[in-house]
Amino acid sequence: LFNDDDFLDLAVGAPGETVGGQLSAGAVSVFYGSAAGLPAASQVLLQGNPELGDRFGSALVAAFFNADQGDLAVGAPGEDVGSAGAAGAVSVFYGVPGGLPGAGQVLLQANPEVGDQFGAALAAGFFEGDIFYDLAVGAPTETVGGNADAGAVSVFFGSASQLSGAAGQTLVQGPGVGGVAEAGDQFGLALAAGFFSGSNFNDLAVGAPTETV
């Protein structure tokens, strides 16, 4: 519901899309639903500065992060942040009655580092119990305690205006989360939110596909 009508819309990521000669810069196509179905033509969303290997569109999640229409979060895990190659970034496009805008809010980790791949996985849920969705962002190749590619997840909390500009919570394996952060675990490569317990809050499942057991 990106454009405030009664029809669901469809966002499709193309992380290998070439943009302005930049290979795998990435793009997202948005098809707005109607009584006749989805149209053949789409709105194309790009980053403000498409670069080689950004892979914008690698992960997508739609939710109501603020107080109006549906919004769209887009991961670009190959995005360079400063001199940190492939640190990763997430762009959030906030819906308005006319559809999604061409520019979005950019979310980064507090400490972007080379190869973190922040934005490789996304999940939305009611993690703190208010009426706004929150956003969990995986950085599966984040270094944790000297352990390369151990992985981390950042959680940004929704509000009436937009998602918090800084992560309100960072999850890594260890006390309170479970497991131990080890080199190569890739904690955060897959994320899923749901009501896994008997509370009114969403819970978060985090995959660590290369964990040694």
Side-chain angles (χ1 to χ4, degrees):
L1 300 175
F2 301 133
N3 60 346
D4 195 30
D5 59 17
D6 294 327
F7 304 102
L8 290 175
D9 310 309
L10 176 66
V12 182
E17 176 75 12
T18 298
V19 180
Q22 302 296 315
L23 298 176
S24 296
V28 173
S29 295
V30 182
F31 300 84
Y32 291 98
S34 71
L38 292 170
S42 66
Q43 175 190 13
V44 177
L45 299 177
L46 303 172
Q47 288 181 288
N49 183 30
E51 299 167 316
L52 176 69
D54 285 346
R55 293 186 290 124
F56 176 80
S58 292
L60 304 173
V61 67
F64 293 93
F65 297 123
N66 63 7
D68 52 24
Q69 284 74 47
D71 313 306
L72 179 67
V74 182
E79 171 74 13
D80 295 344
V81 180
S83 60
V90 173
S91 297
V92 184
F93 299 86
Y94 293 98
V96 295
L100 293 171
Q105 177 191 17
V106 177
L107 302 177
L108 303 172
Q109 288 180 292
N111 182 30
E113 299 167 316
V114 173
D116 285 345
Q117 295 194 82
F118 175 81
L122 303 172
F126 298 106
F127 302 129
E128 61 171 346
D130 61 18
I131 63 171
F132 307 108
Y133 277 88
D134 310 306
L135 178 66
V137 182
T141 44
E142 168 78 16
T143 297
V144 179
N147 297 300
D149 301 343
V153 176
S154 299
V155 182
F156 298 81
F157 296 112
S159 72
S161 58
Q162 63 179 23
L163 288 164
S164 56
Q169 191 172 12
T170 300
L171 305 174
V172 298
Q173 288 180 290
V177 174
V180 177
E182 300 165 314
D185 285 346
Q186 296 193 72
F187 177 80
L189 187 61
L191 303 174
F195 292 100
F196 302 130
S197 63
S199 73
N200 294 322
F201 304 97
N202 275 146
D203 311 304
L204 181 66
V206 182
T210 47
E211 169 79 16
T212 298
V213 179

